[in-house]
Amino acid sequence: MQRYFTNEPISENNTMTITGDDAHHMIQVMRMSPGDQVFVVANNQTYTMEIIEGNSKAVLLSKKATHTKTNEMPINVSLVCGLPKGDKLELITQKATELGMYELFPFAAKRSIVKWDKSKNDKKVARLQKIAKEAAEQSHRSHIPEIHNPISLKELIDVSKSFDVKYVADEEDAKIQERQKFAEQLKKVYDKQSILIVFGPEGGLDRAEIKLLLENDFQTIALGPRILRTETAPLYALSAISYEYE
C-alpha cells in the first residue's frame, strides 16, 4: 500500500482529511477511490486508513488499524556532508533516507567548490526535504529525515555537542595498512543513542578541519581500503551501521 506522511490530527470519530499534493497523488496519480486503503504516518505513528470520499484537493480517510512496528534504525544516525557539486546532495538525501538516515546537515567545508547563495537556501532545502519525504514514503519509514540549512565548521562543533558518538571519515585512514575497521568501532557503541558522521566534499576535508574535529571528541573512521566518492561514502557508512545493528 502507498504511504503518506501528515501533520493532520485524527478526529474523535477516527477520520482524517488529507489535502494538497498528497490528495492529488492519491486521486490523480494513483487513481484511488473510496474503499482503497493506504498507510498514513502521523506523529511517528503508522495507521491503516480507508478512503471514504475525495477529490484531487481533499481526501477523507477513516482509521482501520494502528501499527506499532517501526522500520527505523535502533540508533539515530545523522550525516554531515560537505557541499558537493551538481545534484549529488539530492542523491545522498534520497538514498540515505532509504538506508535509515535520521537527519542531514549540509556543510560549507573549506574545499567545497559549491557555495550556496543564502538567499536561495530555503528553496534548496525545501527541494531536499521533498526528496526525503518521498524516499521515506517509498521505503516505509515512520520518520522523515530533517534537512538542515548549511552549517559552518564552528556551527558543526556546536551541533556535535548533543551527540553520543562523533565520527569523521578521513581518507588518510584508508591508506593506513593497519587501520581500525569501522565494524570494530561500531561494536563499542551499542549502548549509545545517536551517531554523527562527517564527510568531506570532493577533495576531502582540509587537515585543519580534521584537526579541529579531533580536538572536539571526534574519532576518525576508515570506510575500507578504497577511496570513495563524496556521494558514496555516506551510503557505505549507513549500510555498515544497518548491517551491524539490524
Side-chain angles (χ1 to χ4, degrees):
M1 288 193 294
Q2 284 291 129
R3 176 170 296 233
Y4 299 92
F5 287 83
T6 183
N7 293 321
E8 296 297 324
I10 295 178
S11 67
E12 292 182 359
N13 63 351
N14 285 330
T15 62
M16 173 190 290
T17 300
I18 300 292
T19 60
D21 290 343
D22 287 336
H24 179 272
H25 187 269
M26 287 183 194
I27 304 302
Q28 297 296 108
V29 179
M30 299 306 298
R31 303 294 183 184
M32 293 182 183
S33 57
D36 289 338
Q37 294 188 347
V38 296
F39 289 129
V40 176
V41 182
N43 296 319
N44 293 327
Q45 187 70 262
T46 304
Y47 304 94
T48 297
M49 306 196 79
E50 181 178 301
I51 297 176
I52 300 175
E53 60 183 70
N55 53 48
S56 61
K57 294 183 179 179
V59 178
L60 180 64
L61 302 168
S62 175
K63 176 182 148 186
K64 294 299 178 184
T66 304
H67 301 272
T68 56
K69 179 186 175 184
T70 177
N71 293 328
E72 296 303 311
M73 284 260 208
I75 186 168
N76 291 340
V77 183
S78 300
L79 304 183
V80 178
C81 296
L83 289 173
K85 296 184 292 184
D87 59 359
K88 292 177 182 178
L89 200 56
E90 294 186 3
L91 173 67
I92 292 171
T93 298
Q94 182 187 62
K95 300 309 178 187
T97 296
E98 292 177 27
L99 289 167
M101 171 183 72
Y102 185 76
E103 61 185 336
L104 172 65
F105 296 90
F107 171 41
K110 184 175 181 180
R111 292 180 181 171
S112 288
I113 298 172
V114 172
K115 306 295 180 185
W116 280 20
D117 184 339
K118 290 185 178 181
S119 66
K120 299 179 181 179
N121 273 2
D122 289 347
K123 184 177 180 181
K124 290 184 177 181
V125 169
R127 165 67 179 160
L128 295 174
Q129 194 66 67
K130 184 174 185 291
I131 290 172
K133 176 180 180 292
E134 292 171 350
E137 290 171 345
Q138 182 275 325
S139 55
H140 282 209
R141 293 189 58 178
S142 55
H143 168 77
I144 303 174
E146 181 177 0
I147 312 300
H148 297 270
N149 280 317
I151 58 175
S152 65
L153 182 58
K154 181 180 182 301
E155 290 169 329
L156 168 55
I157 298 300
D158 291 339
V159 164
S160 72
K161 294 176 182 178
S162 64
F163 287 84
D164 297 330
V165 183
K166 297 177 282 189
Y167 294 132
V168 53
D170 186 4
E171 65 181 46
E172 294 302 316
D173 273 19
K175 300 174 184 177
I176 300 174
Q177 189 168 4
E178 297 298 325
R179 65 189 175 281
Q180 185 177 20
K181 293 183 178 179
F182 186 36
E184 293 173 354
Q185 290 171 282
L186 291 176
K187 285 179 170 60
K188 300 175 183 178
V189 297
Y190 266 90
D191 59 332
K192 306 303 181 182
Q193 299 299 312
S194 60
I195 296 177
L196 181 70
I197 315 179
V198 180
F199 302 91
E202 297 89 351
L205 293 167
D206 184 79
R207 299 320 297 172
E209 291 172 326
I210 295 282
K211 181 175 182 295
L212 185 59
L213 292 174
L214 295 181
E215 290 172 354
N216 284 273
D217 301 321
F218 278 79
Q219 306 171 50
T220 59
I221 56 172
L223 304 177
R226 293 162 292 280
I227 305 302
L228 305 178
R229 289 180 179 270
T230 187
E231 68 271 28
T232 307
L235 308 183
Y236 179 112
L238 284 166
S239 297
I241 294 170
S242 175
Y243 179 84
E244 185 63 39
Y245 282 85
E246 300 184 302

